[in-house]
Amino acid sequence: MSDNKTHRITLIPGDGIGPEVTQAVLRILEGTGARFEWERYLAGAEAFEIHGEYIPAALYESIARNRVALKGPVTTPIGGGFKSINVTLRKKFDLFANFRPVRALPGLDSKWPGVDLIIVRENTEGEYVGLEHEVVPGVVESIKVISEKGSTRIARFAFDYARKHGRKKIHSIHKANIMKLSDGLFLRCARNVAEEFPDIQYGEHLIDNTCMQLVMNPFQYDTLLLENLYGDIVSDLCAGLVGGLGLVPGANLGTECAIFEAVHGSAPDIAGKNLANPTALLQSAILMLRHLDEIAAADRVQAALEKVYTARQSLTRDVGGSAGTSEFADAVLAAMS
Ligand code: ATP
């Protein structure tokens, strides 16, 4: 552990299943021996009801001060309403890299045991810039923004990560046969960066073909480099390869701040029923522990998590078990002691 320092972390439990999975993860983190002081904030519809703001100013200040946040899912209204809280925070803190390791946990009956993929998703551009308008009634324009700066820095992030962590291969995923300028620029930037990394194999695949290839044989890929929207969709597909959305973690990384959150959303269909799998947020918290240099604590939680999955006891319903969110957390805690 890093000299028993207390880490002050911004905590956004979120809504839907957010509070349940956050509660489970906090209990496990407290059991690691690492020390935390949590600054807890509401965001989204609940925050608006109480503070009159979807993202209270104090939340922005807390993240800017602490530089690290752990975040549960916050519901984004469909087809109208307020802007996504996730997208707003990523933009505000320029969290340009969305890092999502997709690994099959031992003992789990997933479609593809042994899968070990890294998804690197550009997190601030593409269709997510939210520039949409009605040109004339019945016709809407949506603008996709791809920049040389944004594409180059995310490509460099992917290659730097690959080199540092012994990953062998990166594929840029695109649709540059149709989006000739935007995806064409993304590819050009990736190719330029790839030239600086002759030790890492580089390939390019069309997004539609990639989806089919991933389902047929995910082992042909190692690290996937994608624009924002492609990364969003392919992340859910890859989650399906290893057992579902309850498992896959994520980190939103910038040069100043980092926000750790699961790939999944607020899952309103199972909210408040003690059914949600906290593994995805727990694995996001493990990424956070590594980011904080709490390596022993991270290894301890990881080992306990793998022990629980290998024993196939106390697993939640989404992965074939019958335990609730809190019983699963109890099992991880027991495996840590
Ligand atoms: P968003 O677009 O907000 O990210 P989404 O489309 O990814 O959301 P989710 O809210 O993540 O949708 O839910 C998709 C499905 O996955 C739902 O049936 C939900 O119950 C299930 N699911 C998501 N997260 C979990 C979890 N942690 N445990 C169990 N099931 C989950």
Side-chain angles (χ1 to χ4, degrees):
M1 194 188 311
S2 62
D3 59 23
N4 222 15
K5 175 179 175 202
T6 298
H7 303 281
R8 192 164 332 119
I9 312 280
T10 305
L11 180 71
I12 308 166
D15 52 44
I17 59 170
E20 301 161 67
V21 291
T22 303
Q23 167 69 8
V25 168
L26 290 192
R27 280 176 53 218
I28 295 166
L29 288 179
E30 298 302 331
T32 62
R35 299 209 323 231
F36 302 97
E37 198 180 305
W38 302 104
E39 291 185 4
R40 201 178 274 258
Y41 289 94
L42 295 176
E46 285 180 343
F48 189 78
E49 266 177 38
I50 294 171
H51 305 291
E53 291 170 302
Y54 292 106
I55 303 180
L59 169 53
Y60 282 128
E61 286 158 19
S62 171
I63 296 174
R65 194 170 53 242
N66 298 333
R67 296 174 170 222
V68 178
L70 182 64
K71 178 180 166 299
V74 177
T75 305
T76 307
I78 294 177
F82 62 89
K83 261 192 171 171
S84 158
I85 300 302
N86 301 343
V87 173
T88 308
L89 289 174
R90 290 166 186 171
K91 245 191 206 161
K92 169 82 181 168
F93 293 103
D94 199 22
L95 305 173
F96 67 91
N98 195 330
F99 172 77
R100 294 173 158 182
V102 182
R103 278 195 313 122
L105 282 160
L108 205 56
D109 282 334
S110 62
K111 301 259 182 315
W112 290 103
V115 159
D116 177 12
L117 290 163
I118 300 288
I119 293 176
V120 176
R121 165 187 177 188
E122 201 292 320
N123 221 13
T124 55
E125 300 191 336
E127 289 85 347
Y128 275 66
V129 292
L131 297 174
E132 292 188 318
H133 66 277
E134 190 173 54
V135 184
V136 291
V139 181
V140 164
E141 220 171 50
S142 173
I143 296 173
K144 162 168 167 167
V145 175
I146 298 293
S147 74
E148 190 176 328
K149 180 180 164 225
S151 304
T152 301
R153 70 177 175 172
I154 194 66
R156 183 155 283 120
F157 174 93
F159 278 92
D160 278 339
Y161 179 87
R163 182 175 277 171
K164 221 181 263 169
H165 294 86
R167 311 292 304 203
K168 300 281 175 265
K169 211 166 31 175
I170 294 182
H171 279 89
S172 282
I173 308 305
H174 67 95
K175 192 73 184 174
N177 52 343
I178 305 297
M179 317 279 171
K180 292 180 194 294
L181 284 184
S182 53
D183 287 19
L185 175 59
F186 187 82
L187 282 188
R188 264 204 318 282
C189 296
R191 281 176 204 158
N192 286 341
V193 175
E195 280 178 15
E196 298 168 26
F197 293 81
D199 48 318
I200 313 282
Q201 273 183 58
Y202 175 69
E204 294 170 355
H205 278 179
L206 286 163
I207 175 74
D208 40 355
N209 179 33
T210 303
C211 291
M212 188 272 288
Q213 297 292 344
L214 278 166
V215 172
M216 299 287 283
N217 175 19
F219 297 107
Q220 64 189 293
Y221 295 110
D222 176 324
T223 299
L224 302 176
L225 171 62
L226 309 103
E227 289 168 20
N228 208 338
L229 181 61
Y230 302 154
D232 177 55
I233 297 166
V234 170
S235 294
D236 276 30
L237 189 157
C238 288
L241 300 176
V242 298
L245 278 170
L247 303 169
V248 180
N252 300 286
L253 305 167
T255 51
E256 302 292 323
C257 299
I259 300 182
F260 296 85
E261 66 179 340
V263 168
H264 64 72
S266 58
D269 53 331
I270 55 166
K273 298 178 179 162
N274 195 36
L275 289 176
N277 189 345
T279 302
L281 188 64
L282 183 60
Q283 297 215 79
S284 309
I286 294 173
L287 294 176
M288 182 188 78
L289 289 171
R290 297 198 189 287
H291 177 84
L292 296 170
D293 211 23
E294 291 284 358
I295 306 301
D299 289 345
R300 219 171 138 209
V301 181
Q302 186 74 45
L305 184 66
E306 291 182 6
K307 208 165 145 190
V308 170
Y309 273 93
T310 304
R312 298 190 54 80
Q313 275 167 6
S314 308
L315 298 186
T316 48
R317 210 177 57 167
D318 57 310
V319 286
S322 56
T325 312
S326 48
E327 291 74 35
F328 173 82
D330 292 340
V332 176
L333 268 169
M336 267 164 55
S337 54

